[in-house]
Amino acid sequence: MTNTIIRLENIFKIYGSGITEVKALNDVNLIVEEGEYCSIMGPSGSGKSTAMNIVGCLDRPTSGNYYLDNVDVAQMDDTQLAHIRNKKLGFVFQQFHLLQQLTALENVMLPMLYASVPTNERKDRGIAALKRVGLENRLNNKPNQLSGGQQQRVAIARAIVNRPVVLLADEPTGALDSRTTQEVLDIFSELNSTGITVVMVTHEPEVARQTQRIVWFRDGEVIHSNLTPDDLSTVAVS
């Protein structure tokens, strides 16, 4: 029996009030099961980034419930959300967000410092994570000594080093060329094959087609929650 990792129930996110009110999310319901690899798509302003911020515990809904690994986190305070993010979520962003003064290994070890992982264990786990993304020979390189694809692989290693229940990727291939994009997507697929749940926001259909399920947002609502890659070209834009 699968475990529901992400469950959004009747989620609203409202900005402003009265005539200036904007519903960034309008009664959104969404479930992601453990071990899934799904992508979130939609035009600009559709609500996909707002939804990702809530799923990532970077923002709170105006109303509704959000269960992450069976814990309702919707109205947690900032300290509680920071703890949940560090313990249960890994993040990969378009721009890598690596600290330029640190080596690849030091960047990967950083989340473990906040999680109070012992120093000797931090190094071992950091090396293992970099080996997992094929960068065991780049441990001591700083970001400016790495290609864009290598920097994104360091970011992926950093995202998985605390063993999250969900890996969240926000346009992770947006700054990469097509060859490097495929290398990064191959890593996501490999991680997912080992049981890691992956949720990715992308505007690129060819990227979304490499996931198992596609969720389509429009005007703050989930229009399609269970598109297959084959459905995308004919259904998602309708």
Side-chain angles (χ1 to χ4, degrees):
M1 182 177 179
T2 59
N3 179 37
T4 298
I5 289 291
I6 292 168
R7 186 163 82 250
L8 301 178
E9 294 182 348
N10 309 118
I11 293 290
F12 288 82
K13 183 64 180 180
I14 299 171
Y15 297 100
S17 60
I19 61 172
T20 64
E21 180 179 290
V22 175
K23 287 183 179 177
L25 295 176
N26 183 26
D27 199 18
V28 166
N29 292 273
L30 181 64
I31 286 176
V32 177
E33 302 289 355
E34 183 178 24
E36 273 204 89
Y37 183 11
C38 69
S39 53
I40 295 175
M41 295 193 74
S44 178
S46 63
K48 61 184 186 297
S49 294
T50 303
M52 184 63 114
N53 284 340
I54 289 173
V55 168
C57 297
L58 298 168
D59 198 2
R60 300 181 193 82
T62 303
S63 64
N65 298 101
Y66 167 32
Y67 296 90
L68 175 61
D69 201 17
N70 298 312
V71 176
D72 190 355
V73 300
Q75 303 305 327
M76 284 185 174
D77 63 27
D78 290 345
T79 300
Q80 292 170 313
L81 287 177
H83 176 73
I84 288 289
R85 283 196 302 272
N86 192 255
K87 183 179 180 182
K88 292 186 176 290
L89 300 171
F91 295 90
V92 180
F93 300 100
Q94 180 175 340
Q95 298 300 333
F96 320 138
H97 296 310
L98 301 177
L99 295 181
Q100 296 299 310
Q101 70 272 25
L102 300 184
T103 65
L105 179 57
E106 289 167 338
N107 267 287
V108 172
M109 289 168 61
L110 203 55
M112 292 183 287
L113 177 64
Y114 300 133
S116 301
V117 175
T119 304
N120 59 337
E121 186 179 346
R122 273 183 246 155
K123 186 173 182 180
D124 290 345
R125 281 169 57 177
I127 291 171
L130 283 164
K131 185 175 182 179
R132 196 167 180 181
V133 299
L135 289 180
E136 60 268 33
N137 297 323
R138 297 286 187 172
L139 303 179
N140 297 314
N141 288 89
K142 293 185 176 179
N144 64 4
Q145 299 172 308
L146 300 170
S147 68
Q150 289 170 333
Q151 290 184 65
Q152 191 61 297
R153 282 192 270 166
V154 172
I156 294 170
R158 180 185 59 192
I160 64 173
V161 77
N162 271 347
R163 300 163 183 164
V165 297
V166 180
L167 181 61
L168 300 175
D170 191 356
E171 300 284 2
T173 61
L176 305 177
D177 61 35
S178 57
R179 180 182 64 81
T180 311
T181 288
Q182 190 56 55
E183 290 174 357
V184 167
L185 291 176
D186 287 344
I187 291 172
F188 283 130
S189 293
E190 189 277 328
L191 291 171
N192 176 250
S193 73
T194 66
I196 294 177
T197 305
V198 182
V199 180
M200 179 191 309
V201 167
T202 182
H203 68 278
E204 302 173 79
E206 292 310 309
V207 169
R209 285 191 179 97
Q210 296 196 40
T211 67
Q212 298 161 349
R213 176 168 68 109
I214 301 156
V215 179
W216 189 270
F217 275 76
R218 187 171 66 231
D219 297 330
E221 300 178 0
V222 174
I223 303 302
H224 303 289
S225 63
N226 198 29
L227 294 175
T228 68
D230 289 340
D231 292 333
L232 188 58
S233 58
T234 57
V235 180
V237 295
S238 63

